[in-house]
C-alpha cells in the first residue's frame, strides 16, 4: 500500500463507524446532516490538506469500452471497471448522473437504471468509497435536454425564470426536485445508514451550453435556483448530501468572476472546477495549454476555498481518447501535486459511442502511464482507503 496512505488514514480512522454486523445508528450532527455526511466533509478537507487526492470516474462500474453491466444480474454489481482492468483497483470516487429522474423514467439519460445506480452507490460506500451525483435534467419549459438548442434559444433565456417562485413551471420543477430528494433518501444500507453523497447540480454555469448557463439567466436568478433547490431538498428530509459549486474555466483565474454567481457559504460545501483537455491529434501545444489553464484556475479555486473554509476539487476533467501516451504523469499529475485538492474526476468511457472515453482500458495508448499514475503515493484508489473511510 502506498506509503502516504498512513497520513490519510490517520486523519480518517477516528471518523470510522460502527461494525456492519450490528444495526448501525445514523445520528444527525448539529448541521442537520448525518454525522457520516459531516465525516465525508471533514475527510474531503483532510485529503486536501495532506497532499493526497482521490481518483474518480463517471459511470466507471456500469459500463466501459466494449462492455456493459448486466443490469438484471445483481452479482455484477461493483465487479468491473476499465480502471480496475488496467491497474487492478476501482476508482475511490464513483460519479453517476440523475438526468431523467425528474421525468419519472426508470433509466437515466445514458440508459443506466436508477435502481442500478442506487445499488452501485450503496456497494461503493460499503467498500469505503465516495459517491458524487450530477444532474443533467431536461428543460422544463421547452421539453428539450439540458443542452441549449439554437432553435429554442428564445425559450432557453426564460427557463430559469420560469422555475423560480411565481414562474409558470415552478410547481412542476418542485416535483422534479422532490424526485431527486426521494432518490437521495433511498440511498440506505441494509443496516439503516444513509449513504453520504456529494451532489453537483447547475454545473459549468459560466458557459452557456446548458439552460442554466451564463447567457440564459441573471446572477440573481442563478443564485435563486441554487437556493430553491437546496432548500427544497432539506425540506424533503435530505440529510446525506453535500453540495458542490463547479464552474468551468471561463473566469480564467479571476476570483470575482468565479464567485459572481456563488450562492453563498450556507449552500455550498465544496468549490470545484471543470476543465478539459481538448487536443486533437495529440497536439502537445494544446496539452501544454491545458496544463497551464488548469494550473492557473486551480490556484484560484484553492485560494478561494481556503478563504471560505471549503473543500476543493477538480470536479471534472479528462482528455478524450487519451492521444498522448504520458498524459497522466506529464500533463495532469504535475499540476495536481501543486494544489490542495481532495479529488479529481475524469468523465466516462462510453460503451456505445466510439472515441468517447477519458480513462484507459487494457491495451489503450496511455494504460502503462496510468499504472504509474496509480502507483503515485499521492493518488488514492479504492484499495488505498482500506475500508476505513465511512465504513458502516
Amino acid at each position: 500500500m502506498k506509503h502516504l496512505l498512513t497520513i490519510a488514514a490517520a486523519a480518517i480512522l477516528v471518523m470510522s463507524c460502527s461494525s456492519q454486523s450490528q444495526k448501525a445508528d445514523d445520528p444527525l450532527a448539529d448541521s442537520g446532516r448525518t454525522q457520516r455526511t459531516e465525516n465525508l466533509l471533514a475527510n474531503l478537507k483532510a485529503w486536501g490538506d495532506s497532499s493526497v487526492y482521490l481518483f474518480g470516474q463517471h459511470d466507471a462500474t456500469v459500463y466501459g469500452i466494449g462492455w456493459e453491466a448486466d443490469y438484471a444480474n445483481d452479482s455484477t454489481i461493483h465487479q468491473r471497471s476499465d480502471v480496475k482492468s488496467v491497474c487492478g483497483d476501482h476508482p475511490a470516487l464513483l460519479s453517476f448522473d440523475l438526468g431523467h429522474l425528474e421525468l419519472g423514467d426508470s433509466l437515466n439519460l445514458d440508459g443506466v437504471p436508477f435502481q442500478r445506480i442506487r445499488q452501485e452507490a450503496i456497494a461503493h460506500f460499503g467498500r469505503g468509497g465516495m459517491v458524487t451525483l450530477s444532474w443533467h435534467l431536461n428543460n422544463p419549459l421547452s421539453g428539450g435536454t439540458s443542452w441549449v438548442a439554437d432553435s429554442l434559444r428564445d425559450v432557453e433565456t426564460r427557463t430559469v425564470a420560469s422555475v423560480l417562485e411565481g414562474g409558470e413551471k415552478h410547481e412542476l420543477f418542485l416535483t422534479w426536485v422532490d424526485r431527486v430528494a426521494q432518490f437521495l433518501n433511498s440511498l440506505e444500507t441494509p443496516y439503516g445508514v444513509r449513504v453520504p453523497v456529494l451532489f453537483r447540480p447547475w454545473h459549468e454555469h459560466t458557459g452557456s451550453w446548458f439552460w442554466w448557463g451564463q447567457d440564459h439567466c441573471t446572477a440573481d436568478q442563478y443564485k435563486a435556483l441554487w437556493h430553491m433547490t437546496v432548500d427544497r431538498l432539506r425540506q424533503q428530509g435530505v440529510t446525506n448530501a453535500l453540495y458542490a459549486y463547479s464552474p468551468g474555466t471561463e473566469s480564467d483565474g479571476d476570483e470575482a468572476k468565479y464567485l459572481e454567481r456563488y450562492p453563498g457559504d450556507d449552500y455550498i460545501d465544496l468549490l470545484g472546477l471543470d476543465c478539459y483537455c481538448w487536443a486533437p491529434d495529440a497536439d502537445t501545444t494544446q496539452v501544454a495549454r491545458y496544463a497551464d489553464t488548469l494550473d492557473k484556475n486551480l490556484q484560484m479555486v484553492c485560494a478561494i476555498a481556503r478563504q471560505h473554509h471549503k473543500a476543493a476539487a477538480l470536479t471534472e476533467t479528462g482528455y478524450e481518447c487519451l492521444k498522448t501516451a504520458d498524459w497522466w504523469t506529464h500533463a495532469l499529475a504535475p499540476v495536481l501535486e501543486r494544489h490542495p485538492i481532495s479529488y479529481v474526476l475524469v468523465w466516462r468511457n462510453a460503451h456505445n459511442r466510439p472515441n468517447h472515453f477519458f480513462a484507459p482500458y487494457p491495451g489503450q495508448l496511455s494504460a502503462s502511464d496510468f499504472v504509474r499514475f496509480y502507483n503515485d503515493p499521492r493518488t488514492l484508489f479504492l484499495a488505498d482507503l482500506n475500508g476505513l473511510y465511512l465504513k458502516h
Side-chain angles (χ1 to χ4, degrees):
M1 194 169 293
K2 302 169 189 175
H3 65 268
L4 280 184
L5 177 59
T6 55
I7 299 174
I12 61 181
L13 180 59
V14 296
M15 300 180 223
S16 301
C17 302
S18 59
S19 170
Q20 62 183 25
S21 64
Q22 301 174 352
K23 175 71 175 179
D25 61 354
D26 204 12
L28 294 182
D30 292 340
S31 64
R33 296 186 290 221
T34 67
Q35 185 58 55
R36 288 172 177 78
T37 307
E38 289 299 308
N39 291 353
L40 171 57
L41 181 57
N43 284 331
L44 287 167
K45 294 176 179 178
W47 285 317
D49 290 341
S50 62
S51 77
V52 298
Y53 53 88
L54 275 65
F55 174 82
Q57 188 185 17
H58 186 70
D59 279 354
T61 57
V62 291
Y63 56 72
I65 302 303
W67 66 276
E68 185 178 15
D70 180 357
Y71 298 131
N73 185 351
D74 288 353
S75 69
T76 67
I77 294 169
H78 208 70
Q79 293 302 307
R80 184 173 182 179
S81 68
D82 284 349
V83 167
K84 185 177 181 181
S85 295
V86 169
C87 69
D89 197 0
H90 283 307
L93 170 64
L94 293 185
S95 166
F96 300 101
D97 196 86
L98 301 184
H100 291 189
L101 182 68
E102 71 279 359
L103 306 178
D105 291 357
S106 62
L107 307 179
N108 81 348
L109 76 169
D110 293 315
V112 183
F114 288 110
Q115 173 61 13
R116 185 54 173 252
I117 293 174
R118 180 183 295 109
Q119 292 170 319
E120 292 284 350
I122 293 170
H124 195 64
F125 169 72
R127 290 170 170 82
M130 176 184 164
V131 176
T132 183
L133 301 170
S134 54
W135 189 21
H136 288 86
L137 69 166
N138 272 20
N139 186 312
L141 189 59
S142 72
T145 69
S146 292
W147 287 266
V148 170
D150 288 339
S151 61
L152 297 172
R153 193 166 293 275
D154 62 325
V155 178
E156 311 286 0
T157 58
R158 295 186 283 112
T159 302
V160 172
S162 78
V163 305
L164 298 178
E165 188 170 1
E168 61 187 288
K169 295 299 181 180
H170 178 64
E171 295 301 324
L172 171 65
F173 184 74
L174 291 183
T175 68
W176 287 12
V177 179
D178 288 352
R179 285 173 175 158
V180 172
Q182 291 166 8
F183 183 84
L184 295 177
N185 287 335
S186 75
L187 297 176
E188 187 173 292
T189 74
Y191 308 99
V193 174
R194 285 193 182 182
V195 175
V197 298
L198 180 69
F199 187 39
R200 196 172 60 91
W202 317 130
H203 69 305
E204 299 178 9
H205 65 278
T206 46
S208 298
W209 44 88
F210 296 132
W211 58 257
W212 56 85
Q214 182 80 20
D215 293 342
H216 310 305
C217 62
T218 67
D220 286 343
Q221 287 172 333
Y222 179 79
K223 293 176 186 179
L225 179 63
W226 258 105
H227 296 166
M228 180 178 62
T229 302
V230 175
D231 288 343
R232 186 71 176 189
L233 292 174
R234 290 169 175 168
Q235 291 165 11
Q236 295 300 312
V238 174
T239 58
N240 56 327
L242 302 172
Y243 299 96
Y245 176 77
S246 53
T249 58
E250 289 74 20
S251 58
D252 196 31
D254 185 316
E255 292 190 14
K257 289 182 180 179
Y258 180 88
L259 291 171
E260 180 186 27
R261 301 189 173 209
Y262 181 60
D265 287 348
D266 291 343
Y267 290 87
I268 299 298
D269 301 290
L270 179 141
L271 298 179
L273 175 74
D274 289 10
C275 178
Y276 281 90
C277 179
W278 303 112
D281 303 319
D283 186 329
T284 56
T285 300
Q286 291 294 330
V287 172
R289 186 171 299 167
Y290 157 79
D292 290 343
T293 299
L294 181 62
D295 190 37
K296 179 180 183 180
N297 282 275
L298 277 184
Q299 182 176 8
M300 171 197 66
V301 170
C302 291
I304 297 172
R306 283 191 298 271
Q307 294 164 14
H308 289 257
H309 307 288
K310 305 297 179 183
L314 181 50
T315 42
E316 278 188 42
T317 196
Y319 179 15
E320 191 174 39
C321 297
L322 292 163
K323 296 177 182 178
T324 56
D326 60 357
W327 185 81
W328 299 99
T329 61
H330 284 72
L332 182 64
V335 177
L336 299 188
E337 69 186 31
R338 291 196 287 271
H339 304 288
I341 62 168
S342 56
Y343 74 79
V344 55
L345 175 81
V346 300
W347 207 238
R348 66 195 188 114
N349 282 14
H351 67 95
N352 56 357
R353 284 181 57 187
N355 301 319
H356 186 63
F357 62 89
F358 295 86
Y361 52 89
Q364 200 275 327
L365 176 66
S366 72
S368 295
D369 191 56
F370 185 79
V371 173
R372 287 188 285 272
F373 176 77
Y374 169 77
N375 286 324
D376 186 325
R378 288 174 286 257
T379 62
L380 298 180
F381 287 68
L382 185 59
D384 295 318
L385 301 180
N386 199 29
L388 293 175
Y389 149 70
L390 290 177
K391 186 174 180 180
H392 61 254

